[in-house]
Amino acid sequence: MMRKEKPAESPKAYVAAQSGWHREIVEALRAAVLATGDLDERIKWGHLVYFSNGPALLIRAEDKRVLFGFWRGQRLRGSEPRLKPGGKYEMATMTFVEGDSVDAESASLLVREAIRLNAEFGDPTKLA
């Protein structure tokens, strides 16, 4: 269930609005993402979205989970079997729940691959 709240004004405000384990997961994922590559971080569709030649990945806190999603995530499942396909494009998401921890190294690997795929194949939202 999505929370009906006014979207955060900035990525920092989005993180600040989180609490408890949600905030720990969001902070850890965001740190791994920002340390990995040259991405444009924005608030879009009410959550954190990272662009590199189009949208590449997202971090979205929900009531019972935090999603780490990739527009070309279905191509990343070989390196991360926890990615579950779903949604438009080649979307796949990894779900974090209370008690989970973030492996910064594997998160960084996924981010690098997402950037590479968008560089190779272009903006995933502009494909026929």
Side-chain angles (χ1 to χ4, degrees):
M1 172 112 167
M2 293 293 294
R3 299 181 198 169
K4 294 288 179 220
E5 294 167 7
K6 184 175 174 281
E9 310 238 329
S10 70
K12 277 188 176 165
Y14 184 86
V15 175
Q18 308 305 320
S19 62
W21 69 268
H22 288 90
R23 185 166 183 166
E24 287 174 25
I25 298 283
V26 169
E27 283 178 336
L29 288 171
R30 182 175 184 239
V33 170
L34 294 176
T36 299
D38 187 18
L39 290 154
D40 179 16
E41 180 185 49
R42 297 183 219 163
I43 295 291
K44 190 150 177 84
W45 306 297
H47 50 267
L48 298 173
V49 179
Y50 298 86
F51 291 80
S52 176
N53 199 9
L57 61 130
L58 64 85
I59 298 171
R60 182 170 78 215
E62 298 178 350
D63 289 338
K64 304 229 181 284
R65 63 187 186 170
V66 173
L67 294 180
F68 192 33
F70 297 86
W71 265 258
R72 297 187 186 281
Q74 292 178 33
R75 294 178 188 236
L76 301 173
R77 292 179 68 213
S79 52
E80 180 46 79
R82 291 177 296 172
L83 284 166
K84 300 285 179 254
K88 290 165 66 171
Y89 313 110
E90 296 177 71
M91 202 77 186
T93 54
M94 215 163 118
T95 301
F96 292 86
V97 296
E98 189 168 7
D100 286 349
S101 61
V102 173
D103 177 348
E105 198 173 310
S106 64
S108 294
L109 175 74
L110 291 170
V111 172
R112 279 195 301 277
E113 280 297 292
I115 292 169
R116 184 189 65 74
L117 288 168
N118 274 13
E120 186 176 340
F121 298 107
D123 182 337
T125 64
K126 294 201 167 42
L127 299 175

